[in-house]
Amino acid sequence: MRLGMIIDYSGGFAETVELLQEYERNGLDLVAVAEAYSFDSVSQLGYIAAKTERLELMSGIFQIYTRTPSLTAMTAAGLDFVSNGRFTLGLGASGPQVIEGFHGVKYDAPLGRTREVIEICRQVWQRQPVQFEGKHYTVPLTKEHGGSGLGKPLKIINHPVRSNIPISVAALGPKNVALVAELANGWQPLFFHPAKAQQAWGESLEEGFSKRDPALGELDIQLQVHYFIGEPSPEAVQTVRNQLALYIGGMGARDKNFYNQLACRYGYEAEAKDIQDLYLSGKKAEAAAVVPEELVEAVTLMGDEDSIRRQLAEFDAAGIRTLLLNSLADTAEERVSQLSRLSELAAGVRA
């Protein structure tokens, strides 16, 4: 089980990067950079590539609407080049609030667009002249599709370090998860409940795996998770509750909230409705209080070492192969120390 961490867009970037070598010495395998509507993650990943030698890098995630498929492929190849083959392309659809509200781009057909972006990226990396005619993208753009008619198939000038850069996709909906299981190397689910994952995604995963190319290997499930070894403070637990309330209650419109839908598939229909009603009426603290204790415990790694071992075993049995950690420790020294111990505990899961 690999240990990674996500560098958030909310601050502390420089301080975290300065500690990356120390984290690496204490068991860190991978670092991902989020991209919402803050600084772009490409520049930050390039900076990290220059500051590290062995850590794997991942975008967590690039939004599929904000770059053309070919630019996405070029960017991934560029990051793989400057990191000497250490980059994983993390993709996701985001949501209409960000895509239409910040970028002014229509949010449509996330499933179909994701499939086509993946197919075009793999053409680019294999240095094929890019020729693609799909429902959402046509390359080259022909006269029939509104182009000048002067475009011709081109292949990327440089030779990518790897012709098959790993692709990881953030997905929650049943159809999206089926697509991930079919086409992607990795999957980034949020709020993964190991005991309820089968009821939420079992059919979708089975559908996708039935079409999967064996050359892709095992699907690397990459789970974002808050962790703390020991008894977490009430403030730390509240941080988790607040995040769950934000996503279940306020991340998207009432009828377009993927996290609320996921909570319902987990069996928390009544709680999901109450959380959303409270959150959207401005009662954020009350919404956080409604978040089920069972859900808080299931989607985090918190407690004494015996509890952590049990939770790690549950994650492993559910197919989790990479943890993207968000430490709830107060100081950098404590975060490094806890990572070191977590690395030892994770190594023992399959020993």
Side-chain angles (χ1 to χ4, degrees):
M1 186 178 288
R2 296 186 304 169
L3 300 185
M5 64 184 292
I6 289 187
I7 295 182
D8 201 3
Y9 42 76
S10 60
F13 175 78
E15 296 84 351
T16 302
V17 172
E18 288 304 313
L19 282 170
L20 282 179
Q21 292 182 345
E22 185 67 18
Y23 280 122
E24 186 176 27
R25 284 192 290 270
N26 284 276
L28 191 69
D29 302 299
L30 177 148
V31 61
V33 179
E35 184 176 77
Y37 45 99
S38 181
F39 298 138
D40 76 289
S41 61
V42 180
S43 55
Q44 296 173 77
L45 284 162
Y47 182 81
I48 294 170
K51 288 281 189 175
T52 58
E53 295 180 357
R54 295 182 300 279
L55 275 178
E56 296 179 49
L57 311 176
M58 183 166 71
S59 52
I61 48 100
F62 290 164
Q63 301 146 2
I64 59 170
Y65 297 92
T66 55
R67 299 172 177 87
T68 67
S70 293
L71 178 57
T72 298
M74 292 166 60
T75 301
L79 287 168
D80 207 46
F81 170 64
V82 298
S83 66
N84 195 26
R86 292 184 281 141
F87 180 66
T88 292
L89 173 60
L91 294 172
S94 186
Q97 286 73 24
V98 173
I99 300 306
E100 296 182 353
F102 190 69
H103 294 283
V105 176
K106 185 177 181 180
Y107 184 92
D108 67 343
L111 189 69
R113 288 186 183 277
T114 300
R115 179 181 290 276
E116 294 185 17
V117 168
I118 290 173
E119 292 180 6
I120 294 170
C121 280
R122 287 176 171 158
Q123 276 194 32
V124 171
W125 299 332
Q126 292 164 15
R127 298 198 75 237
Q128 301 173 14
V130 180
Q131 293 181 278
F132 188 88
E133 187 168 342
K135 185 175 180 181
H136 309 288
Y137 300 102
T138 302
V139 186
L141 187 64
T142 62
K143 245 184 179 178
E144 292 76 19
H145 289 87
S148 66
L150 299 176
K152 62 180 181 178
L154 298 172
K155 64 182 178 182
I156 190 170
I157 295 172
N158 308 82
H159 288 258
V161 174
R162 293 180 293 175
S163 60
N164 287 294
I165 295 170
I167 295 175
S168 173
V169 179
L172 292 177
K175 292 182 179 179
N176 300 70
V177 171
L179 180 142
V180 169
E182 177 189 350
L183 291 180
N185 305 92
W187 174 32
Q188 296 180 52
L190 195 59
F191 307 137
F192 184 96
H193 192 316
K196 297 179 181 288
Q198 186 65 26
Q199 75 184 56
W201 294 301
E203 291 184 7
S204 299
L205 290 169
E206 185 177 347
E207 177 188 340
F209 287 145
S210 70
K211 305 172 187 176
R212 185 177 181 83
D213 184 346
L216 289 171
E218 181 184 29
L219 181 66
D220 180 11
I221 304 179
Q222 302 151 343
L223 178 62
Q224 295 185 38
V225 60
H226 285 89
Y227 83 102
F228 187 87
I229 302 175
E231 186 65 32
S233 68
E235 292 78 14
V237 176
Q238 192 61 43
T239 295
V240 177
R241 284 187 165 278
N242 291 344
Q243 185 191 40
L244 284 163
L246 165 64
Y247 278 75
I248 295 171
M251 193 63 74
R254 183 177 291 276
D255 61 345
K256 204 78 171 176
N257 184 323
F258 309 121
Y259 306 96
N260 190 281
Q261 294 165 11
L262 175 61
C264 291
R265 294 204 302 277
Y266 281 160
Y268 303 118
E269 293 94 342
E271 294 90 338
K273 182 180 185 305
D274 289 343
I275 292 167
Q276 189 173 63
D277 288 344
L278 289 165
Y279 202 95
L280 294 180
S281 64
K283 299 176 180 178
K284 298 179 181 179
E286 291 90 337
V290 176
V291 174
E293 184 69 25
E294 179 195 69
L295 181 59
V296 173
E297 293 177 357
V299 302
T300 58
L301 276 171
M302 297 192 297
D304 59 27
E305 291 192 2
D306 287 340
S307 296
I308 298 292
R309 286 190 189 93
R310 173 183 55 77
Q311 290 171 290
L312 286 170
E314 290 173 355
F315 282 145
D316 180 72
I320 302 297
R321 298 294 174 259
T322 301
L323 294 177
L324 299 174
L325 300 164
N326 189 343
S327 176
L328 293 168
D330 292 327
T331 66
E333 293 77 8
E334 191 177 9
R335 288 192 287 273
V336 171
S337 174
Q338 290 221 345
L339 175 67
S340 177
R341 185 57 186 142
L342 185 62
S343 177
E344 294 170 354
L345 296 173
V349 169
R350 287 189 165 186

